[in-house]
Amino acid sequence: MMERSVTFGKGFQAGNDEPALQYSTVFNIEGPSTSGQDSSGDITCFVASEKLLAIGRLDGRVDLIDCEGDTIKTFREHRAPVRGLSFDAKSEYLASCCSSGKVFIFSLYSEQDSYVETYSVGKELTSIAIDPRYANRKTKEVIVGDKSGNVYFLSKGWLGTLEKVLFRGKYPIRRIAWSGTMVAWSSSTGVRVYNTGSHLPVGTVPLSEYNDVSLLWVASGKLFIGQGKQVWSVASTSMNGSLATTDSSGDGERTCFSKDLVFESDHGTVESLGQGIESIFVLTRGSDSYTILKLCDEAPAEFLHGGELPFPEDVAVHLSGSVASALNTSCDTGEPMFFIHMPQAIVAAKPLDAVSRLEWLCENHRFQEALALTNSTYSLRMRKRDVGENYMSHLIGKGEYKVAGVQAPQLLFDSTDAWERWATKFGQSKKLHLLAPNLPYKDVQLSVGIYELAIKSCFQQKEYEIAAQILDTWPVELYDENAVYEMAKERLTRDPDSTGLLQISRILCTKMGMHQKAMEIMMRLSDVSVFDYIRDHKLFWAASVDAATLMEIDEVRATKMLVEYHDEAPPLEVIQSMCRFQEGVAKADTSEENFGASLSGRVKGLSDAWAKRLYKYLEWLRRRDSSITDFDTILVEMCALYEPENMMTLLQSSNSYSLDQALDACVKHGLVAEQVFVLGRMGSNIDALHLIVEKMQDVSAAVRFANECMDVTIWEELMHLASKNGSWASELLEFAGDGINPGHLLQSISEDMCIPDLKDKIHLAAQRVREELSMQQLCQINLEDDCSRLLFQLYQKLCRSIEILEWANGSDTEDEVPVISMWSSH
């Protein structure tokens, strides 16, 4: 003997796809059974209403249970296997039939556990349907079908009991569906429709072949038929398509239906149909699986669920299209509930609730979705910690410590105990460095020992970058910065080029106030943020000492900063830093004696790249503050080399450079105009004039130079030079009158010298001389007139002043009159 029980409990279909339904065993049979034979308590039929479930048994019992599986009543009137069950619309009456031909009608809410009506057909009945209006009508009507293919109409009223044969067929009547006054049943020729209001047949819906069909009436009066892999919608061709309002005239049948194919299954044969809210549910069954689909009028079939269950050979599937809240709490949303019955059990499938969905996600290790569900569902927020703990355990079990460390803030939340517990586990596995970057330290603070263990773990695993990250973010109250600094310092002696250790030292030096040391480490790391660090901590003098290193990091930013803060970053230190860097001299060896007395000589020893950097620095420095002239000589020498086009501007704007060195630079780089300027400043005007005439060969420039010098010897030297060259003499004649006496010039020229256009030039020179003399005479006349006019104006003013003085003194003496007349006569 063996136990015949099937227990699903609460479960989900197999696979990785998230289920739409959850399952539970609402009824289970336990009892002895012989292999290959049915138990006397096996389920033979099953029906579900919006409120209750009814189960027919092989031993004749009828169990009435609720949706949770609790037994409400048990009826034992049948002595043969129960083959059919049917509820009325209000679930107040239950009709049952058995294989012995007995029919019982039970009142579900009466005090006595017995039937209220009974019929005896005498045939082996296979199906039954009770009038949906049974509770409200005085005439009590039931329709049954038997194994031979006959359909009987049973009625009790004022006139007694009526038993009428509605149809005689060949094959068993498996399904009868009743809605309002319309009854439909399957037969060998198709689906028959009968009107109980007029007690006349409506017609037949032909089917291609005889198969077990599923029937469903909907509220609109349409009939849905499921056969094989297809679902058909059937309506009348008259009266707006409603079968419920279709009438029949005459004694015979007539076919007046339109049949439309609404669905064809790819998942197996159609087992059952059920009505939801504005939708039809179809359950199809394959060889070892089932599928539930949702059909809507304006949308394609929606796949709800497909899974595997251990189907026995004899299995039936029922759907309860439920909208009543009494059925199940999930039915408040109008979702259907599905019942799958087997010989030993009834399994209920209902839409997945939030708790069940969360359990499924956790069972399938989809923890990210589970966390999202707990955040979006208020009733599940208290379970976030449990989900987080499970996710952490799952990751650690797989050895994914790195992922667990990253996810920890979203999994452990603000629980101090949880953080310390998992930190201990990471530490025991020598993986605490993977959790360290995400350890909380603001709203949640752990014990100081946890943070120090995390830092030591980073050092032990040589994860210096992680250690630098956490030291940069954690406040110093969480660890002993001196101990960590010594640890980093000791390891730097063994690994001096470790970037991570240098970063750690830099961070700790900053936190300990050792800013200059931190700056040096940043320069060693070529960290561009060193410029902001220098500004923030005002380390400009130290920056000037290491100016060359800063320029190696970023030449433009370094130069701008050193120029901007030249008051605090001495230019001499900047220049010496560049020279030291070029020569490879240590800062400790840069005393005045070691560095040398001649800074200019050191600068000349710079490479071309460093010389350009120095020139840019000095040039920007002079633009920033023109009062800094200490390095003008170096600047002039470099300008002649790198920017000769700016040399003249520089020479003219400064008086602080060495004239000799400036002249050497101009000579070295062939800057003639600049040589003239420097020679002029040196007082060597004759040499400057020779350069203009001999190298520049520009007579006009020579004339301008002579005018600027205002020296007769210069004019004489210029005429002397012109007397040796006819073309120069010809050009010089054009400037006759500007300190040049054309007569003296012509007298100094030898008689055999050829002067181009001499006649014209002499004529032009004479004209210019005459014009000059005439202009001088005119100016003399104008000058005399101006002097006379000004003298007369002075006399008038003096006369007025005397008269006013006499009037003011009140003097009427005649002795003073001659004074005035004297002035007047003059």
Side-chain angles (χ1 to χ4, degrees), residues 777-822:
Q777 293 174 358
L778 180 61
C779 289
Q780 182 66 30
I781 295 172
N782 291 334
L783 178 62
E784 291 176 355
D785 290 342
D786 290 340
C787 290
S788 176
R789 186 175 62 257
L790 290 172
L791 181 61
F792 181 73
Q793 290 176 358
L794 176 61
Y795 166 74
Q796 288 181 330
K797 289 181 180 179
L798 292 174
C799 289
R800 282 197 297 272
S801 64
I802 294 172
E803 290 176 357
I804 293 171
L805 181 62
E806 291 175 350
W807 177 83
N809 295 331
S811 175
D812 293 332
T813 60
E814 297 180 357
D815 297 336
E816 298 179 359
V817 174
V819 176
I820 300 175
S821 60
M822 179 186 64

Side-chain angles (χ1 to χ4, degrees), residues 257 428 448 583 721:
F257 305 115
Q428 292 172 349
V448 175
E583 299 170 0
L721 293 173

